[in-house]
Amino acid sequence: MEIGPIFRAMWRNRIGVALIALQIAFTMTVVVNAIYIINERSRLMARPSGLDEANLFYLRSVGFQEGFDEESTIVEDRILLQATPGIIDMTVMNAIPLSGSGSSTGVRVNPDANGPSTYTALYRVDEHAIDTMGLELIAGENFTTAEVRQLGRLDSGSTAPIIITEALAEALFTGGAAEALGNTLYWQVDIPMQIIGVVKQLQAPWPTFASIENSMLIPNNILDGQSLYLVRTEPGQVNTMMLRVEELLADSNPARIIMNVKSLEETRADSYRIDSSMARILLVVIVILVFITSMGVVGLAVFGINRRRRQIGTRRALGATQGQIIRYFLVENLIISGIGVTLGAVLTLGFNIFLVQTFNMPRIEWYYTPLGMLALVLVGLLAVLGPSRGAARIPPAIATRTV
Amino acid sequence: MLKMKDVGKVYRTELVETRALTSFSLDVDEGEFVTVTGPSGCGKTTFLNIAGLLETYSSGTYLLDGQDVSELGDRQRARLRNRKIGFIFQSFNLMPDLNLFDNVDVPLRYRGMRASERRQRVDQMLDSVGLLSRKKHLPSQLSGGQQQRVAIARALVGEPRFLLADEPTGNLDSHTAAGVMELLEQVNESGTTIIMVTHDDSLAQRARRNVKILDGRIQSIDQLADSRIPATPVSDRALSANA
Ligand SMILES: Nc1ncnc2c1ncn2[C@@H]1O[C@H](COP(=O)(O)OP(=O)(O)OP(=O)(O)O)[C@@H](O)[C@H]1O
Ligand SMILES: [Mg+2]
């Protein structure tokens, strides 16, 4: 093909070409990085929590009258819920996974208070936690009823049983779950904790927590007048049971009120709301940018074609077929896009390095850049196809008719 | 070579219908040099465009080398224009963004010729019009007469048997025009059939035949000189000596 003369002819109009090539380069930079961010967010959003989220909801039981007995209320509530068809189990805990609020602590394998600690979420639960959340116990055992202390702090000097996640076990012990089982951990309070079980997965309550897979269950709830219940229903009944349970509990004990009834799916959606709206905004930005760039390509092509109508007619008169005219503009477009995406590839990687350093994101996968280049070249060709076909329809008689 | 019988051409726009050519009949033999004259708007360019397959006609028949051109599709017409016909335009129609070499190269590229052969032919052609030393120059760096010589080189580079020129000297002064005319005469003497539209009567009289058009019809055909096809081709030096 006539790349040489096309290129030399473009060189005489290099400002317009350079501007469009720059536009393509910037579009590619933003689009590729935006898609990368969207994919990154989607990957975060798609991570499982380890819970049977579809069938879980939670609520808060808050005492407001004098004489409200939290401990006996919990016992009564449990009896009531266990007798309710559609409810599988319930647990009383201090924090709900995915909810964004909870507590964390540093734990050590070594009793030395100055030694290095590993951060983990801390869930205060009872013996129903594993069944209610739907966790998979991969080693050891669940807490026994006797191990659960609802009353205040643990006794100093005694050993508390704990269950940890496999990720935490692997972070602490080279031998992972197998080595962790039976071992002892220490935390700020000088109470040793013995690992009696390991669960496959349970995420910390904060989606942005760096050690999100590190969680620890301890059978010790603090009674503070308001208890958090996590309730697991039969599959597909979460919405009806939320209403039913709220009513049942409110009626059974008028000394407290039932608040914050919310399903875990809603909780997940709320927690990742910023991420999903960011993804949506970026998607809109991508569409707009690609549209504007295609319009720029179309504009440059249409401008060039109108300016060269007589030239095109002359080419037709000299024997160019319609296909050869179309090819001329496609090649011209390929040259512009080629310059644009090559520059775009450099900018894309540069911008990604900036994102990695500033926002601590993982590096872009290698194939994003070539795919982005290919996509923008295709967009350019598609944009220029219409104008080129218009150019091919310019009659050869233009050559003798225009002066 | 060219045989037109009762060719008619009607331009239709929303409001008016222009009869640009009416019962136009003309035979042009291989090797002839025919000039076409007539008042502005009489249909000279229309005739040339139809003859050169740039436009279609509305009625009648046109045989080019015995082939009925109304049967040809767009691709075949383009191919014929590329191989058989050379065009010279009043305003030269060079590509302003291409240097002289690339300009002359245009028709050969559409023929899909190998680069080495194209280069040789273009250089030879530019040499024969005396502009080889300026092949890297842009058209805007040349005088009108030089530009038209480049355009003639472009028209001839594919060795067409049929050369159509629409007022090739219309934008040139009389001295330069005479040079271009001599160049065309030499091209004709080497065997190329030429039809040239002109407003200049003295140039028109130099051809073998002069066709006068009035209102889309042939008014008269003047036989001006003996038919004579030269036996010896013209040397490159003779071509470049003119214009
Ligand atoms: N595309 C067109 N649409 C409508 N009418 C046209 C078109 N082209 C030419 N005509 C008309 O056809 C007639 C013949 O035009 P043509 O260009 O052949 O004349 P001409 O003899 O070449 O004139 P000139 O000496 O001025 O170049 C004119 O009346 C012109 O207005
Ligand atoms: Mg004319």
Side-chain angles (χ1 to χ4, degrees):
Chain A
M1 236 346 251
E2 39 183 341
I3 290 180
I6 293 177
F7 187 81
R8 289 193 284 278
M10 283 168 60
W11 186 247
R12 315 210 165 275
N13 306 298
R14 52 189 174 272
I15 304 232
V17 170
L19 287 178
I20 293 294
L22 267 182
Q23 197 182 339
I24 291 172
F26 284 132
T27 302
M28 176 179 158
T29 306
V30 174
V31 166
V32 170
N33 279 288
I35 288 176
Y36 162 68
I37 291 171
I38 291 174
N39 284 350
E40 195 55 31
R41 297 287 143 162
S42 310
R43 193 180 61 74
L44 293 182
M45 285 189 275
R47 287 176 307 186
S49 60
L51 275 67
D52 178 23
E53 282 175 43
N55 304 308
L56 285 171
F57 72 92
Y58 66 90
L59 56 85
R60 233 173 249 284
S61 157
V62 183
F64 70 100
Q65 281 181 5
E66 265 187 55
F68 171 70
D69 181 345
E70 189 176 3
E71 194 174 9
S72 64
T73 303
I74 290 171
V75 174
E76 286 158 16
D77 287 347
R78 176 179 300 290
I79 292 167
L80 183 60
L81 291 187
Q82 271 168 351
T84 307
I87 301 293
I88 291 179
D89 208 344
M90 70 159 278
T91 184
V92 183
M93 60 198 299
N94 70 323
I96 302 294
L98 294 166
S99 70
S101 85
S103 48
S104 74
T105 182
V107 291
R108 300 181 306 274
V109 179
N110 198 308
D112 175 11
N114 298 318
S117 8
T118 302
Y119 282 92
T120 172
L122 170 67
Y123 289 109
R124 297 173 179 277
V125 295
D126 58 29
E127 74 275 27
H128 294 274
I130 287 182
D131 278 350
T132 304
M133 290 194 270
L135 306 182
E136 187 189 344
L137 193 63
I138 57 167
E141 285 158 9
N142 190 6
F143 303 121
T144 62
T145 310
E147 282 165 341
V148 177
R149 318 233 174 124
Q150 300 284 21
L151 298 164
R153 306 205 163 267
L154 294 163
D155 314 325
S156 190
S158 69
T159 299
I162 54 167
I163 295 173
I164 64 175
T165 58
E166 192 177 21
L168 180 58
E170 280 163 0
L172 292 167
F173 302 99
T174 48
E179 189 187 337
L181 201 62
N183 246 303
T184 305
L185 295 184
Y186 304 87
W187 65 344
Q188 302 98 308
V189 192
D190 60 345
I191 297 167
M193 302 174 296
Q194 197 188 20
I195 301 166
I196 64 154
V198 178
V199 290
K200 182 96 194 117
Q201 196 200 11
L202 168 60
Q203 283 193 332
W206 318 276
T208 53
F209 189 43
S211 321
I212 188 166
E213 299 298 340
N214 289 1
S215 294
M216 169 174 111
L217 302 176
I218 183 163
N220 159 235
N221 255 306
I222 295 165
L223 296 178
D224 58 0
Q226 49 170 297
S227 9
L228 190 56
Y229 295 176
L230 183 69
V231 183
R232 186 176 183 189
T233 69
E234 299 280 5
Q237 296 198 33
V238 80
N239 288 322
T240 44
M241 293 321 286
M242 270 163 72
L243 296 171
R244 170 91 45 83
V245 167
E246 182 174 11
E247 260 178 358
L248 272 176
L249 295 186
D251 291 348
S252 72
N253 185 347
R256 50 96 185 270
I257 48 171
I258 303 299
M259 294 170 62
N260 302 350
V261 188
K262 195 168 173 182
S263 74
L264 227 65
E265 281 185 337
E266 257 180 277
T267 307
R268 168 179 281 272
D270 282 350
S271 279
Y272 284 108
R273 183 135 295 153
I274 290 175
D275 300 83
S276 53
S277 26
M278 196 217 280
R280 232 166 296 147
I281 290 168
L282 285 178
L283 208 62
V284 171
V285 167
I286 289 171
V287 169
I288 290 174
L289 264 183
V290 168
F291 178 76
I292 290 176
T293 303
S294 343
M295 288 302 103
V297 169
V298 169
L300 186 74
V302 168
F303 175 75
I305 287 164
N306 285 339
R307 194 170 51 84
R308 289 180 287 188
R309 280 182 75 79
R310 188 151 70 113
Q311 261 194 61
I312 294 163
T314 304
R315 285 178 181 277
R316 292 280 284 137
L318 296 176
T321 59
Q322 297 200 334
Q324 283 168 324
I325 297 294
I326 292 177
R327 213 173 313 152
Y328 183 99
F329 290 101
L330 294 188
V331 169
E332 192 176 75
N333 174 263
L334 273 179
I335 295 174
I336 300 173
S337 295
I339 298 170
V341 298
T342 307
L343 186 62
V346 176
L347 288 180
T348 300
L349 294 177
F351 190 58
N352 186 246
I353 289 171
F354 166 77
L355 287 183
V356 170
Q357 289 178 349
T358 316
F359 300 106
N360 209 4
M361 290 174 61
R363 280 291 296 272
I364 198 163
E365 258 94 33
W366 68 270
Y367 53 81
Y368 273 80
T369 310
L371 280 183
M373 292 170 85
L374 190 69
L376 270 131
V377 166
L378 286 180
V379 164
L381 284 178
L382 227 63
V384 92
L385 203 58
S388 319
R389 289 160 68 122
R393 282 194 295 270
I394 290 174
I398 288 271
T400 53
R401 294 289 184 198
T402 3
V403 180
Chain B
M1 167 135 229
L2 170 147
K3 239 183 188 359
M4 281 189 185
K5 183 141 179 50
D6 287 333
V7 167
K9 174 70 179 177
V10 182
Y11 290 111
R12 286 191 182 85
T13 54
E14 294 103 55
L15 293 177
V16 283
E17 225 183 57
T18 312
R19 297 185 164 275
L21 286 183
T22 316
S23 333
F24 195 98
S25 298
L26 182 70
D27 283 10
V28 176
D29 292 331
E30 182 100 40
E32 269 201 280
F33 195 141
V34 176
T35 52
V36 179
T37 52
S40 183
C42 71
K44 303 182 295 294
T45 298
T46 305
F47 158 63
L48 215 59
N49 280 356
I50 291 171
L53 307 183
L54 298 186
E55 282 184 72
T56 55
Y57 45 95
S58 318
S59 59
T61 52
Y62 168 25
L63 305 183
L64 180 63
D65 279 334
Q67 176 164 41
D68 186 346
V69 302
S70 65
E71 291 164 359
L72 301 174
D74 192 78
R75 274 181 72 91
Q76 291 164 304
R77 295 162 68 87
R79 192 183 143 88
L80 273 188
R81 288 196 295 268
N82 186 242
R83 309 226 162 197
K84 207 174 258 189
I85 304 169
F87 280 98
I88 302 171
F89 309 93
Q90 177 174 357
S91 38
F92 323 136
N93 288 19
L94 297 174
M95 316 288 153
D97 297 326
L98 298 182
N99 63 29
L100 305 194
F101 183 95
D102 286 337
N103 262 288
V104 176
D105 197 25
V106 167
L108 298 186
R109 286 198 179 255
Y110 291 132
R111 200 179 285 194
M113 198 179 271
R114 272 185 303 115
S116 57
E117 192 180 348
R118 290 198 329 255
R119 198 177 317 122
Q120 191 199 332
R121 280 219 204 184
V122 172
D123 280 351
Q124 192 188 337
M125 215 52 237
L126 280 172
D127 194 28
S128 69
V129 297
L131 289 166
L132 182 58
S133 62
R134 309 190 60 177
K135 67 175 181 179
K136 295 282 177 202
H137 287 208
L138 289 175
S140 58
Q141 294 167 303
L142 302 185
S143 72
Q146 288 169 329
Q147 289 190 36
Q148 194 59 299
R149 270 155 53 198
V150 175
I152 291 170
R154 181 179 66 185
L156 294 176
V157 73
E159 296 178 339
R161 287 177 32 237
F162 196 20
L163 186 63
L164 300 173
D166 195 354
E167 302 190 35
T169 60
N171 284 1
L172 305 175
D173 64 57
S174 61
H175 178 73
T176 318
V180 166
M181 186 64 189
E182 275 165 47
L183 183 53
L184 290 179
E185 280 166 349
Q186 281 157 8
V187 168
N188 174 245
E189 276 165 32
S190 68
T192 308
T193 312
I194 299 183
I195 299 180
M196 180 179 92
V197 170
T198 182
H199 269 122
D200 186 331
D201 256 350
S202 68
L203 292 184
Q205 300 306 314
R206 287 166 67 158
R208 203 181 80 174
R209 280 201 292 167
N210 174 225
V211 177
K212 286 202 167 71
I213 305 180
L214 189 65
D215 286 339
R217 292 169 193 273
I218 295 183
Q219 191 191 27
S220 66
I221 302 179
D222 302 339
Q223 198 75 30
L224 298 165
D226 290 331
S227 57
R228 179 180 54 87
I229 298 171
T232 47
V234 185
S235 74
D236 290 344
R237 206 194 54 77
L239 275 170
S240 60
N242 296 288

